[in-house]
Amino acid sequence: MSVFFGSHQGFGWIFMWLTAAFKRSAAWNLPISSHDARAMIRTSTLSLEAWSGDSNFDYSSTAGWESYYTKDQIKIPLTEWHSSVTLESLANHVPAWASSCLMIGCGTSHFPEVVRAGHTAKIVLLDSSPTCIRELKSRYGCSMCCICGDATRLSELVEPDSMDCIFDKGLMDAFFCGDGWTTPTEALLKGASSVLREGGIYLLVSYRLSASSKEFLESVGNQVGLDWKFDCTGSNERVGISIATKLNRL
Ligand SMILES: C[S@@+](CC[C@H](N)C(=O)[O-])C[C@H]1O[C@@H](n2cnc3c(N)ncnc32)[C@H](O)[C@@H]1O
């Protein structure tokens, strides 16, 4: 059962209000504000607040996540972001030819074992939280490589041109909650492009993106050689699946 972001019955009116706010932001072609992003996430993470006891939880702060994971280790295995999309359907987006898959901001999601069940790709897990990485090491032993580090500095952590697939479920959402969200998002995509092989993909599972957020991702993509496709198969009314392909260098 997903305690983290799954159940939202009873909060329909909040969702309607947030959806309207989100649409207004898109219609005016303004970037979704960090305030709106926080509200969207907070609505579906009431249980996170209950756990952390912190209604001002800063989703964009690595220190915040570390203290969250430290607070209730027993419940860690229950966490799963965007549980309205099944892990099996997401695993179908990992290319069959991929020999490596880097999961950034992986948290304690069970996606790694779902991918491992159907793919031979080498899986690398990366999160900024030392507590989370310790948990993953004890869960997976040596069968998966675990890196504790900042995803905005990927080129310092992972070999260039070494990954066929990068999987991000919830990490960019967390960045969107910060006031200066464009800076870490741009750094993330620059690093992602440098560690992806040509033809490799960045698979993003996030809240539905506003028109201007897509424009921003496209403009960074143009600079760093990532070609975005949004609202791919499996997206639903709340969750968007976006795929950026690393272009061949001329
Ligand atoms: C919203 S949770 C998503 C967790 C998991 N991917 C899932 O789908 O359930 C965001 C995760 O990103 C991690 N994170 C936040 N900022 C990060 C950064 N700069 N670099 C690496 N990981 C980060 C957090 O520790 C947390 O585990």
Side-chain angles (χ1 to χ4, degrees), residues 16 46 52 70 78 82-83 97 121 131 135 141 164 175 182 244 250:
M16 282 169 60
L46 295 174
S52 65
T70 311
L78 296 176
H82 292 317
S83 58
W97 48 262
T131 302
E135 164 74 15
D164 292 318
F175 288 175
T182 55
L250 295 177

PDB file of all heavy atoms in Angstrom, residues 16 46 52 70 78 82-83 97 121 131 135 141 164 175 182 244 250:
ATOM      1  N   MET A  16      -9.680  20.162  -7.022  1.00  0.00           N
ATOM      2  CA  MET A  16     -10.329  20.978  -8.044  1.00  0.00           C
ATOM      3  C   MET A  16      -9.758  22.394  -8.021  1.00  0.00           C
ATOM      4  O   MET A  16      -9.459  22.988  -9.044  1.00  0.00           O
ATOM      5  CB  MET A  16     -11.843  21.007  -7.809  1.00  0.00           C
ATOM      6  CG  MET A  16     -12.506  19.725  -8.292  1.00  0.00           C
ATOM      7  SD  MET A  16     -14.192  19.600  -7.746  1.00  0.00           S
ATOM      8  CE  MET A  16     -14.895  21.037  -8.488  1.00  0.00           C
ATOM      9  N   LEU A  46      -0.367  14.588   2.525  1.00  0.00           N
ATOM     10  CA  LEU A  46      -0.784  14.926   3.880  1.00  0.00           C
ATOM     11  C   LEU A  46      -0.164  13.970   4.876  1.00  0.00           C
ATOM     12  O   LEU A  46       0.198  14.344   5.977  1.00  0.00           O
ATOM     13  CB  LEU A  46      -2.313  14.891   3.970  1.00  0.00           C
ATOM     14  CG  LEU A  46      -2.985  15.969   3.107  1.00  0.00           C
ATOM     15  CD1 LEU A  46      -4.490  15.784   3.141  1.00  0.00           C
ATOM     16  CD2 LEU A  46      -2.622  17.358   3.569  1.00  0.00           C
ATOM     17  N   SER A  52       6.203  13.827   9.278  1.00  0.00           N
ATOM     18  CA  SER A  52       7.307  14.736   9.584  1.00  0.00           C
ATOM     19  C   SER A  52       6.884  15.757  10.625  1.00  0.00           C
ATOM     20  O   SER A  52       7.722  16.385  11.245  1.00  0.00           O
ATOM     21  CB  SER A  52       7.757  15.452   8.309  1.00  0.00           C
ATOM     22  OG  SER A  52       6.725  16.287   7.841  1.00  0.00           O
ATOM     23  N   THR A  70      15.296  10.294   8.140  1.00  0.00           N
ATOM     24  CA  THR A  70      15.849   9.928   9.442  1.00  0.00           C
ATOM     25  C   THR A  70      14.757   9.750  10.483  1.00  0.00           C
ATOM     26  O   THR A  70      14.893   8.970  11.414  1.00  0.00           O
ATOM     27  CB  THR A  70      16.810  11.039   9.936  1.00  0.00           C
ATOM     28  OG1 THR A  70      17.683  11.351   8.884  1.00  0.00           O
ATOM     29  CG2 THR A  70      17.634  10.594  11.124  1.00  0.00           C
ATOM     30  N   LEU A  78       7.527   1.947   2.700  1.00  0.00           N
ATOM     31  CA  LEU A  78       6.173   2.156   2.190  1.00  0.00           C
ATOM     32  C   LEU A  78       6.088   3.332   1.223  1.00  0.00           C
ATOM     33  O   LEU A  78       5.077   3.533   0.576  1.00  0.00           O
ATOM     34  CB  LEU A  78       5.208   2.420   3.356  1.00  0.00           C
ATOM     35  CG  LEU A  78       5.037   1.269   4.339  1.00  0.00           C
ATOM     36  CD1 LEU A  78       4.137   1.702   5.486  1.00  0.00           C
ATOM     37  CD2 LEU A  78       4.464   0.054   3.646  1.00  0.00           C
ATOM     38  N   HIS A  82       3.926   9.224  -6.845  1.00  0.00           N
ATOM     39  CA  HIS A  82       3.098   9.044  -8.054  1.00  0.00           C
ATOM     40  C   HIS A  82       2.578   7.612  -8.191  1.00  0.00           C
ATOM     41  O   HIS A  82       2.743   6.965  -9.227  1.00  0.00           O
ATOM     42  CB  HIS A  82       3.890   9.436  -9.308  1.00  0.00           C
ATOM     43  CG  HIS A  82       4.171  10.904  -9.373  1.00  0.00           C
ATOM     44  ND1 HIS A  82       3.221  11.856  -9.071  1.00  0.00           N
ATOM     45  CD2 HIS A  82       5.298  11.595  -9.697  1.00  0.00           C
ATOM     46  CE1 HIS A  82       3.750  13.060  -9.203  1.00  0.00           C
ATOM     47  NE2 HIS A  82       5.003  12.940  -9.569  1.00  0.00           N
ATOM     48  N   SER A  83       1.940   7.156  -7.137  1.00  0.00           N
ATOM     49  CA  SER A  83       1.477   5.775  -7.161  1.00  0.00           C
ATOM     50  C   SER A  83       0.234   5.574  -8.024  1.00  0.00           C
ATOM     51  O   SER A  83      -0.241   4.449  -8.162  1.00  0.00           O
ATOM     52  CB  SER A  83       1.224   5.287  -5.739  1.00  0.00           C
ATOM     53  OG  SER A  83       0.279   6.131  -5.125  1.00  0.00           O
ATOM     54  N   TRP A  97      16.762  -2.258 -25.074  1.00  0.00           N
ATOM     55  CA  TRP A  97      18.181  -2.274 -25.432  1.00  0.00           C
ATOM     56  C   TRP A  97      19.069  -1.614 -24.376  1.00  0.00           C
ATOM     57  O   TRP A  97      20.303  -1.672 -24.473  1.00  0.00           O
ATOM     58  CB  TRP A  97      18.410  -1.587 -26.785  1.00  0.00           C
ATOM     59  CG  TRP A  97      17.726  -0.253 -26.921  1.00  0.00           C
ATOM     60  CD1 TRP A  97      16.526  -0.019 -27.528  1.00  0.00           C
ATOM     61  CD2 TRP A  97      18.175   1.024 -26.414  1.00  0.00           C
ATOM     62  NE1 TRP A  97      16.199   1.321 -27.442  1.00  0.00           N
ATOM     63  CE2 TRP A  97      17.194   1.982 -26.771  1.00  0.00           C
ATOM     64  CE3 TRP A  97      19.301   1.452 -25.705  1.00  0.00           C
ATOM     65  CZ2 TRP A  97      17.305   3.339 -26.434  1.00  0.00           C
ATOM     66  CZ3 TRP A  97      19.415   2.794 -25.366  1.00  0.00           C
ATOM     67  CH2 TRP A  97      18.421   3.721 -25.739  1.00  0.00           C
ATOM     68  N   ALA A 121      19.431  -4.514 -17.688  1.00  0.00           N
ATOM     69  CA  ALA A 121      20.241  -3.298 -17.522  1.00  0.00           C
ATOM     70  C   ALA A 121      20.875  -3.234 -16.134  1.00  0.00           C
ATOM     71  O   ALA A 121      20.252  -3.601 -15.132  1.00  0.00           O
ATOM     72  CB  ALA A 121      19.354  -2.066 -17.729  1.00  0.00           C
ATOM     73  N   THR A 131      20.794   8.558   4.655  1.00  0.00           N
ATOM     74  CA  THR A 131      19.961   7.560   5.341  1.00  0.00           C
ATOM     75  C   THR A 131      19.228   6.687   4.321  1.00  0.00           C
ATOM     76  O   THR A 131      19.137   5.459   4.467  1.00  0.00           O
ATOM     77  CB  THR A 131      18.942   8.263   6.261  1.00  0.00           C
ATOM     78  OG1 THR A 131      19.664   9.072   7.182  1.00  0.00           O
ATOM     79  CG2 THR A 131      18.084   7.271   7.017  1.00  0.00           C
ATOM     80  N   GLU A 135      19.654   2.600   3.577  1.00  0.00           N
ATOM     81  CA  GLU A 135      18.507   1.697   3.507  1.00  0.00           C
ATOM     82  C   GLU A 135      18.556   0.867   2.207  1.00  0.00           C
ATOM     83  O   GLU A 135      18.323  -0.347   2.201  1.00  0.00           O
ATOM     84  CB  GLU A 135      17.218   2.545   3.571  1.00  0.00           C
ATOM     85  CG  GLU A 135      15.942   1.859   3.141  1.00  0.00           C
ATOM     86  CD  GLU A 135      15.427   0.850   4.150  1.00  0.00           C
ATOM     87  OE1 GLU A 135      15.893   0.868   5.299  1.00  0.00           O
ATOM     88  OE2 GLU A 135      14.568   0.028   3.759  1.00  0.00           O
ATOM     89  N   GLY A 141      21.934  -4.967  -1.206  1.00  0.00           N
ATOM     90  CA  GLY A 141      23.296  -5.498  -1.101  1.00  0.00           C
ATOM     91  C   GLY A 141      24.149  -4.995  -2.250  1.00  0.00           C
ATOM     92  O   GLY A 141      24.081  -3.830  -2.639  1.00  0.00           O
ATOM     93  N   ASP A 164      22.287   4.602 -20.577  1.00  0.00           N
ATOM     94  CA  ASP A 164      21.288   4.530 -21.659  1.00  0.00           C
ATOM     95  C   ASP A 164      19.960   5.120 -21.212  1.00  0.00           C
ATOM     96  O   ASP A 164      19.131   5.489 -22.038  1.00  0.00           O
ATOM     97  CB  ASP A 164      21.054   3.066 -22.066  1.00  0.00           C
ATOM     98  CG  ASP A 164      22.280   2.485 -22.733  1.00  0.00           C
ATOM     99  OD1 ASP A 164      22.893   3.192 -23.547  1.00  0.00           O
ATOM    100  OD2 ASP A 164      22.634   1.324 -22.422  1.00  0.00           O
ATOM    101  N   PHE A 175      12.307  19.856  -7.109  1.00  0.00           N
ATOM    102  CA  PHE A 175      12.991  21.108  -7.499  1.00  0.00           C
ATOM    103  C   PHE A 175      11.967  22.213  -7.773  1.00  0.00           C
ATOM    104  O   PHE A 175      12.193  23.371  -7.427  1.00  0.00           O
ATOM    105  CB  PHE A 175      13.834  20.899  -8.757  1.00  0.00           C
ATOM    106  CG  PHE A 175      15.088  20.079  -8.543  1.00  0.00           C
ATOM    107  CD1 PHE A 175      15.884  19.725  -9.614  1.00  0.00           C
ATOM    108  CD2 PHE A 175      15.477  19.664  -7.281  1.00  0.00           C
ATOM    109  CE1 PHE A 175      17.031  18.979  -9.434  1.00  0.00           C
ATOM    110  CE2 PHE A 175      16.623  18.914  -7.084  1.00  0.00           C
ATOM    111  CZ  PHE A 175      17.405  18.572  -8.177  1.00  0.00           C
ATOM    112  N   THR A 182      14.573  27.071 -11.517  1.00  0.00           N
ATOM    113  CA  THR A 182      15.166  26.912 -12.844  1.00  0.00           C
ATOM    114  C   THR A 182      16.655  26.552 -12.752  1.00  0.00           C
ATOM    115  O   THR A 182      17.161  25.803 -13.585  1.00  0.00           O
ATOM    116  CB  THR A 182      15.007  28.194 -13.695  1.00  0.00           C
ATOM    117  OG1 THR A 182      15.556  29.291 -12.965  1.00  0.00           O
ATOM    118  CG2 THR A 182      13.548  28.474 -14.007  1.00  0.00           C
ATOM    119  N   ALA A 244      12.932  12.624 -22.828  1.00  0.00           N
ATOM    120  CA  ALA A 244      13.886  13.410 -23.617  1.00  0.00           C
ATOM    121  C   ALA A 244      14.954  12.467 -24.159  1.00  0.00           C
ATOM    122  O   ALA A 244      15.525  11.681 -23.410  1.00  0.00           O
ATOM    123  CB  ALA A 244      14.534  14.483 -22.750  1.00  0.00           C
ATOM    124  N   LEU A 250      26.612  16.451 -33.918  1.00  0.00           N
ATOM    125  CA  LEU A 250      26.903  16.574 -35.358  1.00  0.00           C
ATOM    126  C   LEU A 250      28.401  16.425 -35.604  1.00  0.00           C
ATOM    127  O   LEU A 250      29.210  16.701 -34.767  1.00  0.00           O
ATOM    128  CB  LEU A 250      26.419  17.932 -35.861  1.00  0.00           C
ATOM    129  CG  LEU A 250      24.906  18.112 -35.800  1.00  0.00           C
ATOM    130  CD1 LEU A 250      24.523  19.507 -36.247  1.00  0.00           C
ATOM    131  CD2 LEU A 250      24.212  17.085 -36.686  1.00  0.00           C
TER     132      LEU A 250
END
